[in-house]
Amino acid sequence: MILKKNKRAISTLVSTVLIILITVAAVGIIWGAIMPVITRTMSIGQACLNARVTINTEQGYTYYDGTTAGSEATNIMISHGSEEFELAGINLILKGGGTSKTWNIYATSTGRTSDAGVTMYGGSTTIETPLTNEDRTYAIDVSADTSLQPPETASVAPIVQVGKTLRTCSVSSSVTIPKTVSATVPLGGGGQYSIWTEKSMIRINQTADKTPAGTSKTITLYAAKGETESFQIGIQGPTDGLTNVNVAAPNLIGPSTILSPNITLYREHYVNVTKGVTASYYKGALGPGMYPDALIPFKDSAGNDLTGAVDAVPFNLVAGYNQPIWVDVYVPRNVLAGQYTGTFTVTSDQGSVSIDLTLNVWNFELPLKPYLNSSFRYGEAGRLTQPDSELLKNRIMPYAVNPLNERNFIDKLGLKGTNMGFWAMVGGGCDTKPDVPSVSTMETEVAKHQADLAKYNYLADEIDSCPTSTFDQIKLWAQNLHAAGIDSLITMAPNSYLYDDGSGTGRSAVDIWVILNKFYGDTSSRQSQREYVLNKGDEIWSYTALAQDTYSPKWLIEFHPLNYRLPTGFINANLNSTGLLYWRVDYWSTLLPTDSSQWDNVTRWSPYGGEGLLVYNATLIGISGVIPSMRLKYIRDGVDDFDYVYLLKQKGQGAWALIQAANNVSSNFSNWTKDSIKLENFRVIIGNKLNSL
């Protein structure tokens, strides 16, 4: 009996184990089947969380055009402002008259065909979706949909792709469609051409298929006293082209008068980026192509017409091409706060058009000397006579200036400091010169310069990985520099070995630590190093060169203008960086170009188009010196951004300003907006804040 009972117990146990094993196996099989589905669903869900496209109504490209019966169309400008996802397509919904209709627009990479009735604005049937930081405008044929004439609202939803699966995400933007028509200007016998206004941070492509004409002929700017704000006038050629195009600037009338000489006009010149960086690695890179960059002034600094081989105006414009005009509006320091208006006139043999500007001047003033320090170096242009003043007009400090010019530059253009010219290194390695100049030699150099000018010495470059023997020599150099009243500047991250120059004063061997963007980092050790030297009284500046990481802003032409402005202003402010250094501004390919096509070679250091190049040789236009780039203007605006934050600090609102900047536009080199409209709106917010204090 005992044996039989044990056998039954064993049988029961075995059965139970078998049932468990079978259950586990079944669960495994089922899990193996459904897990890929769950994973794919989660991946698609995550992709949709990251994806966002918006309908842009600010630029005037979104509107219903019902001017021609039987050809009614709705034009929709769609913006892809994020770099965190690949856009496979766009789902567009128009609603009106109690009905709706949907169109799918697909990226060419998907192999799908976009729905019928969709063309690019301007007529191209080659459909393109917007890339990162790009806009695309689509013309939707609604001629057969009488209930959608006019449509009342438009909505868009991104389409994402995970593997081979396409998924339409939730609607990410909805707008009321403006009931306006294209602002083309009728001309006698020459077809039509379009004139429109554009914000300074939006680059206008050279051809109409990539940048269709806008509709707005008005623009509103906000500025402090002593500040320069910019905008663009876009001009697009009609079927028969344009001849003898010119632009005239007005006086601006308001509480007082801002005379037209305070307005500087430039014709934007397109340059050719022949080879770009790897876009799949450096997100945000827009690739090779023609970019507007060189700014050819209408007149010289004295207001005289230019007489060189290349002239800004008048110009001719062929059909289907754009020619933007860059407009700098300087607000004199002695004008009254309030609203100013004026009308620009674009003329040609085919007719004339008016552009209306409204300028709101706040009641505060930017300082003549910007709060942000800087040091930008010339090479080729150092042999010319005018380049220093061009940098200073754009609120950037030259690396060094002729002492004979210092007083004038200090009093009129805000010069803050200059380099003393002593160099400690031999070649590009870690070897130092054996003999340190004496204190008296350094004092002799100091005596050549104005007493109220800051003196620093760019002593060595990128010596982070050098041995302590190099640092020992740097300490000796620093001791003599300090004794002569000169600050020591080195491009390197803070290093504890150099926290004491050995003189017994406790002063660091490096007074100005200039840190490459990628070396800021978010690690606690890097943060503590920066905090330590700042608490000692040292300064921290930032700099960039080439493209050395995947996340920080890049100073290359093929990247969005935000890459120039944000690190200069709000990122520096949030990181307690008080200065900016750039190794070269005139690294051009030809010292004396013979025609404007030689300006186009901007890739002397391949594949980094625009590296070391922020100005262009002005010999062609009859100026012994340089002309600015649009990118230099973006940096200037970043200097102004920094000043806005500094002014708020002075009024006890610094913490508020930095928190708002971090939440709205940028906090560091890894976290920064890709949306220029968001930046411009934020500038108005903090400007209004200052205006109210």
Side-chain angles (χ1 to χ4, degrees):
M1 289 294 295
I2 295 174
L3 181 60
K4 288 182 178 180
K5 289 175 66 175
N6 287 341
K7 284 182 178 180
R8 285 198 298 270
I10 292 171
S11 297
T12 302
L13 178 62
V14 170
S15 299
T16 302
V17 171
L18 287 174
I19 291 170
I20 292 172
L21 290 174
I22 291 169
T23 302
V24 170
V27 169
I29 293 169
I30 296 170
W31 186 254
I34 68 171
M35 190 59 191
V37 176
I38 295 173
T39 301
R40 185 166 60 252
T41 302
M42 291 178 64
S43 297
I44 293 173
Q46 184 61 47
C48 280
L49 285 175
N50 294 334
R52 178 176 170 79
V53 290
T54 58
I55 300 174
N56 189 329
T57 59
E58 296 291 329
Q59 311 306 316
Y61 300 129
T62 296
Y63 61 92
Y64 168 70
D65 185 353
T67 55
T68 304
S71 299
E72 294 85 357
T74 301
N75 302 299
I76 303 291
M77 182 179 190
I78 298 178
S79 302
H80 176 349
S82 170
E83 65 175 14
E84 301 301 329
F85 74 100
E86 297 296 332
L87 184 63
I90 299 162
N91 179 250
L92 171 65
I93 309 105
L94 297 182
K95 295 182 180 180
T99 187
S100 65
K101 187 171 180 178
T102 298
W103 287 263
N104 287 323
I105 304 168
Y106 293 107
T108 54
S109 61
T110 65
R112 301 286 188 95
T113 301
S114 298
D115 289 347
V118 179
T119 60
M120 302 303 295
Y121 185 85
S124 174
T125 56
T126 302
I127 307 300
E128 299 175 342
T129 53
L131 302 175
T132 303
N133 294 323
E134 276 193 343
D135 303 307
R136 287 282 188 267
T137 303
Y138 305 93
I140 312 300
D141 182 2
V142 295
S143 58
D145 301 284
T146 55
S147 62
L148 287 176
Q149 298 176 21
E152 298 164 1
T153 64
S155 302
V156 289
I159 300 174
V160 298
Q161 183 170 7
V162 176
K164 296 182 179 180
T165 302
L166 291 180
R167 166 77 176 272
T168 300
C169 305
S170 299
V171 168
S172 59
S173 177
S174 296
V175 301
T176 299
I177 299 175
K179 295 177 178 61
T180 59
V181 297
S182 177
T184 51
V185 181
L187 303 166
Q192 293 182 327
Y193 76 104
S194 295
I195 305 293
W196 73 99
T197 57
E198 187 58 275
K199 296 179 183 295
S200 62
M201 298 288 288
I202 306 295
R203 287 191 287 212
I204 299 174
N205 287 292
Q206 191 174 27
T207 55
D209 59 332
K210 291 186 177 179
T211 299
T215 62
S216 177
K217 290 189 291 179
T218 65
I219 195 159
T220 300
L221 301 179
Y222 296 81
K225 300 175 185 180
E227 182 176 12
T228 299
E229 278 294 299
S230 305
F231 72 98
Q232 299 172 90
I233 300 173
I235 306 172
Q236 191 172 104
T239 304
D240 296 339
L242 297 173
T243 53
N244 291 320
V245 183
N246 210 328
V247 182
N251 294 333
L252 301 181
I253 307 302
S256 46
T257 299
I258 300 175
L259 298 175
S260 61
N262 291 291
I263 299 174
T264 305
L265 302 174
Y266 301 89
R267 177 166 63 84
E268 297 178 20
H269 177 79
Y270 288 88
V271 300
N272 189 14
V273 176
T274 56
K275 184 178 181 181
V277 298
T278 306
S280 60
Y281 183 72
Y282 298 106
K283 291 187 176 181
L286 301 176
M290 302 297 291
Y291 292 86
D293 193 54
L295 294 177
I296 306 173
F298 282 26
K299 299 179 182 294
D300 65 17
S301 58
N304 301 313
D305 289 333
L306 297 169
T307 58
V310 175
D311 209 352
V313 286
F315 60 85
N316 301 331
L317 187 59
V318 299
Y321 277 75
N322 296 323
Q323 178 54 69
I325 303 299
W326 183 276
V327 184
D328 271 352
V329 182
Y330 173 71
V331 181
R333 298 177 183 279
N334 60 350
V335 301
L336 298 175
Q339 189 174 91
Y340 293 77
T341 59
T343 299
F344 292 76
T345 305
V346 181
T347 59
S348 73
D349 291 338
Q350 289 73 28
S352 64
V353 185
S354 296
I355 294 290
D356 294 325
L357 167 67
T358 298
L359 172 66
N360 296 292
V361 177
W362 283 310
N363 61 13
F364 60 92
E365 180 179 335
L366 294 189
L368 177 63
K369 296 180 180 180
Y371 293 115
L372 184 72
N373 299 305
S374 54
S375 179
F376 282 39
R377 178 176 169 269
Y378 277 109
E380 304 288 357
R383 295 192 284 265
L384 305 174
T385 58
Q386 168 265 2
D388 290 334
S389 62
E390 187 62 51
L391 286 185
L392 287 164
K393 288 175 183 177
N394 290 284
R395 311 197 80 211
I396 292 294
M397 303 299 119
Y399 171 79
V401 302
N402 185 332
L404 296 177
N405 294 330
E406 286 178 356
R407 188 71 266 154
N408 183 59
F409 285 163
I410 292 170
D411 295 339
K412 295 184 178 180
L413 295 176
L415 179 67
K416 295 183 67 177
T418 190
N419 181 57
M420 293 294 100
F422 300 106
W423 187 249
M425 309 307 293
V426 177
C430 293
D431 294 333
T432 57
K433 294 177 181 178
D435 298 320
V436 179
S438 65
V439 173
S440 61
T441 298
M442 294 181 177
E443 288 176 334
T444 299
E445 180 61 32
V446 169
K448 298 176 183 177
H449 301 275
Q450 295 295 311
D452 56 343
L453 195 63
K455 286 89 176 173
Y456 65 89
N457 195 86
Y458 190 167
L459 190 58
D461 183 59
E462 297 182 343
I463 60 172
D464 298 77
S465 60
C466 289
T468 56
S469 58
T470 299
F471 295 164
D472 288 334
Q473 281 295 107
I474 291 296
K475 289 182 178 183
L476 296 178
W477 280 79
Q479 289 175 21
N480 285 9
L481 287 171
H482 293 161
I486 305 170
D487 286 338
S488 167
L489 180 153
I490 299 179
T491 51
M492 67 181 301
N495 186 305
S496 59
Y497 197 85
L498 294 172
Y499 289 172
D500 193 313
D501 67 1
S503 65
T505 63
R507 186 171 178 177
S508 297
V510 182
D511 301 289
I512 304 171
W513 306 85
V514 186
I515 306 175
L516 185 64
N517 293 352
K518 72 173 185 178
F519 289 147
Y520 270 79
D522 293 324
T523 64
S524 58
S525 60
R526 290 197 185 279
Q527 291 176 355
S528 62
Q529 288 170 344
R530 295 198 304 271
E531 290 171 0
Y532 181 82
V533 297
L534 287 171
N535 289 334
K536 281 196 69 180
D538 301 344
E539 288 187 58
I540 286 178
W541 293 12
S542 66
Y543 80 105
T544 186
L546 306 177
Q548 301 189 42
D549 60 67
T550 61
Y551 54 86
S552 72
K554 307 291 182 290
W555 280 16
L556 302 176
I557 293 176
E558 64 176 300
F559 286 82
H560 191 278
L562 284 166
N563 284 260
Y564 290 84
R565 182 169 174 176
L566 278 176
T568 303
F570 292 119
I571 293 179
N572 269 332
N574 259 306
L575 294 174
N576 292 311
S577 172
T578 55
L580 185 67
L581 179 142
Y582 198 49
W583 71 278
R584 187 76 173 267
V585 298
D586 62 341
Y587 195 57
W588 48 53
S589 298
T590 305
L591 178 59
L592 295 174
T594 56
D595 63 76
S596 61
S597 66
Q598 294 187 34
W599 284 338
D600 298 348
N601 188 355
V602 295
T603 314
R604 184 172 177 181
W605 194 331
S606 182
Y608 307 108
E611 175 65 31
L613 178 65
L614 293 173
V615 296
Y616 291 84
N617 194 313
T619 305
L620 281 174
I621 65 172
I623 292 178
S624 179
V626 300
I627 56 174
S629 66
M630 291 167 61
R631 293 169 296 128
L632 184 64
K633 302 295 183 180
Y634 303 142
I635 295 169
R636 174 206 66 195
D637 292 345
V639 176
D640 294 346
D641 292 340
F642 187 93
D643 277 1
Y644 274 55
V645 174
Y646 199 94
L647 288 170
L648 284 166
K649 287 182 178 180
Q650 289 183 330
K651 293 182 177 293
Q653 298 296 318
W656 174 87
L658 293 176
I659 290 172
Q660 292 298 315
N663 291 337
N664 285 278
V665 289
S666 60
S667 58
N668 54 48
F669 289 111
S670 300
N671 179 26
W672 49 285
T673 185
K674 314 304 184 295
D675 186 345
S676 61
I677 301 299
K678 194 171 185 179
L679 169 63
E680 290 170 345
N681 290 341
F682 179 65
R683 259 293 297 268
V684 174
I685 289 172
I686 61 174
N688 284 332
K689 182 75 169 180
L690 277 167
N691 194 64
S692 68
L693 296 176

